[in-house]
């Protein structure tokens, strides 16, 4: 593991096995300087243990950066369960995972990710209290996507202000790729602020919902190239790639999807060189983890909302530094995240 390209000085990686259920999983703790490591559990049919470890190393580091940029008292961690969520998931296997989480005694707090449902989280919660990010009686929170969408909306406003000098969205054309949980809610906020919408989705029911917002419909293959002021990817990752970047007409890319840059080192720079302002995905979509954190620490809805609105301020800081240094915005965001973690480490040591 220490020689793997994705190893980044991770604090710990714990492997778990439960013979009775066939559970095989691991929990990676990238950094816990800022607080207990927090990140979702992903259940996926990995080809082998190396692939699972690579994913856990990469995703847990991503959570450290995301939590640091959202200024949360949380470190970065991630759990992966090796297996097909459709065919191999059982309540007993979920409880085995819950016991694995419990064994770390709060050093890792889990939430939902690919392959997990609210019902699974409830099963996990029957054996550990170190779980958040789903509807729990008597606690704020639940589905994080409305807060993710609110953060994306605030981030789009901040990007528009940086480019246009005003955050007025009235009359601006915004292309939303994917109108699912996050994309639809974002579109609703944009519409309420006076923006004109063009949307694409592969799910007709979700498209139909967006049509009720007066949105124009574009083809899923062409939405990135729409004649728009802002392109908001809210569906898939890797949408900023060799094929798409040259076709983007918007001056701003700001949306909720994870891992938008196909190859960050290459495509972050390509976007910048085309004069496009890119809102780093893990910064603009931090509203969901802010909601999860609020549930862990019992923050009020007002505090969660105010923190989410801070995403706009953070992005403005990233945009300003990137412009001054002529560096891609994602590089600047990564650096700010690392600096926040490092300085907290030093003040702890002092
Ligand atoms: P979702 O499944 O509810 O929505 C995704 C939508 O994209 C669906 O309507 C789907 O039909 C559509 N879609 C799929 N392929 C498409 C394509 N080729 N072209 C256009 N549309 C397509 O998921 P979500 O929760 O809204 O998440 C969307 C993105 O935001 C994901 O990348 C997710 O990782 C990221 N994200 C979500 C949250 C959250 O709180 N839900 C938080 C952070 C990041």
């Amino acid at each position: 593991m220490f020689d793997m390209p994705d190893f980044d000085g991770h604090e710990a990686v714990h492997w778990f096995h439960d013979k009775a259920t066939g559970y095989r999983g691991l929990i990676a703790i990238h950094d816990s300087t800022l607080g207990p490591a927090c990140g979702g559990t992903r259940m996926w049919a990995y080809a082998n243990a190396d692939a699972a470890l690579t994913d856990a190393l990469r995703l847990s580091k991503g959570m450290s950066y995301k939590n640091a940029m959202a200024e949360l008292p949380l470190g970065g961690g991630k759990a992966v369960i090796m297996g097909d969520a459709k065919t191999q998931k059982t309540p007993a296997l979920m409880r085995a995972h819950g016991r694995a989480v419990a064994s770390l005694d709060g050093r890792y707090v889990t939430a939902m990710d690919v392959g997990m449902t609210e019902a699974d989280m409830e099963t996990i919660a029957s054996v550990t209290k170190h779980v958040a990010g789903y509807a729990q009686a008597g606690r704020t929170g639940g589905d994080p996507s409305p807060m993710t969408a609110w953060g994306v909306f605030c981030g789009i406003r901040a990007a528009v202000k940086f480019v246009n000098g005003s955050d007025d969205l009235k009359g601006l054309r915004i292309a939303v790729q994917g109108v699912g949980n996050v994309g639809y809610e974002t579109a609703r906020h944009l519409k309420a602020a006076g923006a004109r919408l063009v949307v694409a989705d592969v799910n007709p029911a979700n498209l139909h919902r967006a049509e009720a917002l007066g949105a124009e419909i574009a083809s899923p293959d062409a939405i990135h190239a729409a004649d728009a002021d802002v392109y908001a990817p809210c569906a898939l990752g890797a949408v900023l790639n060799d094929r798409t970047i040259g076709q983007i007409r918007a001056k701003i890319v700001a949306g909720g999807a994870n891992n938008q840059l196909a190859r960050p080192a290459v495509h972050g720079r390509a976007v910048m060189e085309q004069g496009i302002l890119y809102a780093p995905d893990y910064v603009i979509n931090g509203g969901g983890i802010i909601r999860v954190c609020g549930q862990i620490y019992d923050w009020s809805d007002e505090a969660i909302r105010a923190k989410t609105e801070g995403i706009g301020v953070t992005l403005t800081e990233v945009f300003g530094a990137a412009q001054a240094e002529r560096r891609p915005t994602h590089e600047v965001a990564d650096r700010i995240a690392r600096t926040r973690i490092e300085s907290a480490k030093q003040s702890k040591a002092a």
Side-chain angles (χ1 to χ4, degrees):
M1 176 184 84
F2 298 121
D3 298 326
M4 288 172 83
D6 288 291
F7 179 71
D8 178 57
H10 288 67
E11 286 176 17
V13 175
H14 302 266
W15 292 84
F16 298 93
H17 176 242
D18 180 63
K19 201 170 177 185
T21 57
Y23 166 73
R24 291 185 304 159
L26 59 143
I27 296 176
I29 297 179
H30 175 255
D31 194 289
S32 60
T33 308
L34 299 174
C38 182
T41 291
R42 175 170 292 193
M43 184 162 182
W44 192 254
Y46 292 100
N48 52 45
D50 265 7
L53 175 58
T54 298
D55 218 23
L57 291 174
R58 195 173 53 83
L59 295 167
S60 58
K61 176 184 169 189
M63 287 311 301
S64 286
Y65 283 26
K66 182 179 239 185
N67 293 339
M69 287 309 271
E71 296 189 84
L72 298 175
L74 293 176
K78 199 83 187 180
V80 305
I81 301 173
M82 297 176 66
D84 185 332
K86 289 206 176 79
T87 58
Q88 290 173 280
K89 202 191 314 164
T90 62
L93 190 125
M94 288 295 105
R95 282 193 294 276
H97 182 56
R99 289 194 296 275
V101 174
S103 74
L104 298 180
D105 206 19
R107 287 189 64 216
Y108 167 70
V109 182
T110 198
M112 262 163 78
D113 193 42
V114 176
M116 302 297 284
T117 65
E118 292 235 349
D120 299 330
M121 302 316 283
E122 277 173 29
T123 309
I124 292 170
S126 68
V127 287
T128 177
K129 61 178 193 258
H130 302 299
V131 46
Y134 71 106
Q136 295 180 70
R139 293 177 81 181
T140 54
D143 176 10
S145 35
M147 205 44 69
T148 303
W150 183 244
V152 171
F153 171 70
C154 296
I156 290 175
R157 270 211 323 229
V160 166
K161 176 145 196 209
F162 194 81
V163 170
N164 290 352
S166 151
D167 65 2
D168 190 357
L169 301 181
K170 241 182 243 110
L172 295 192
R173 226 167 112 83
I174 304 195
V176 183
Q177 180 176 40
V179 275
N181 291 326
V182 173
Y184 176 74
E185 273 300 303
T186 305
R188 241 175 27 88
H189 296 311
L190 293 168
K191 166 80 180 167
R196 292 178 300 145
L197 300 169
V198 46
V199 306
D201 203 296
V202 292
N203 177 332
N206 287 357
L207 261 190
H208 188 65
R209 216 170 41 150
E211 262 179 316
L213 296 175
E216 195 184 299
I217 308 298
S219 135
D221 300 332
I223 185 76
H224 64 278
D227 180 11
D229 299 283
V230 180
Y231 163 39
C234 294
L236 317 160
V239 290
L240 303 175
N241 56 45
D242 289 342
R243 184 181 68 86
T244 57
I245 292 173
Q247 301 170 351
I248 297 172
R249 287 149 87 185
K251 284 284 164 237
I252 293 170
V253 175
N258 275 320
N259 306 319
Q260 291 171 34
L261 296 167
R263 278 177 292 145
V266 175
H267 298 116
R269 183 157 293 276
V271 165
M272 177 185 82
E273 283 170 356
Q274 206 173 296
I276 296 169
L277 182 69
Y278 166 63
D281 45 18
Y282 72 87
V283 182
I284 193 171
N285 72 19
I289 193 68
I290 293 172
R291 169 57 99 188
V292 170
C293 183
Q295 198 178 41
I296 296 171
Y297 290 101
D298 277 326
W299 293 348
S300 67
D301 284 346
E302 294 71 36
I304 291 167
R305 199 176 163 90
K307 192 102 178 140
T308 302
E309 287 166 6
I311 287 173
V313 179
T314 304
L315 281 173
T316 305
E317 184 190 339
V318 170
F319 296 153
Q323 188 181 56
E325 298 169 32
R326 294 176 203 276
R327 283 181 69 189
T329 50
H330 80 282
E331 282 183 22
V332 170
D334 286 358
R335 188 193 60 211
I336 296 175
R338 278 194 299 271
T339 307
R340 284 185 182 172
I341 295 168
E342 264 324 298
S343 51
K345 211 168 261 178
Q346 278 162 22
S347 27
K348 264 186 163 178

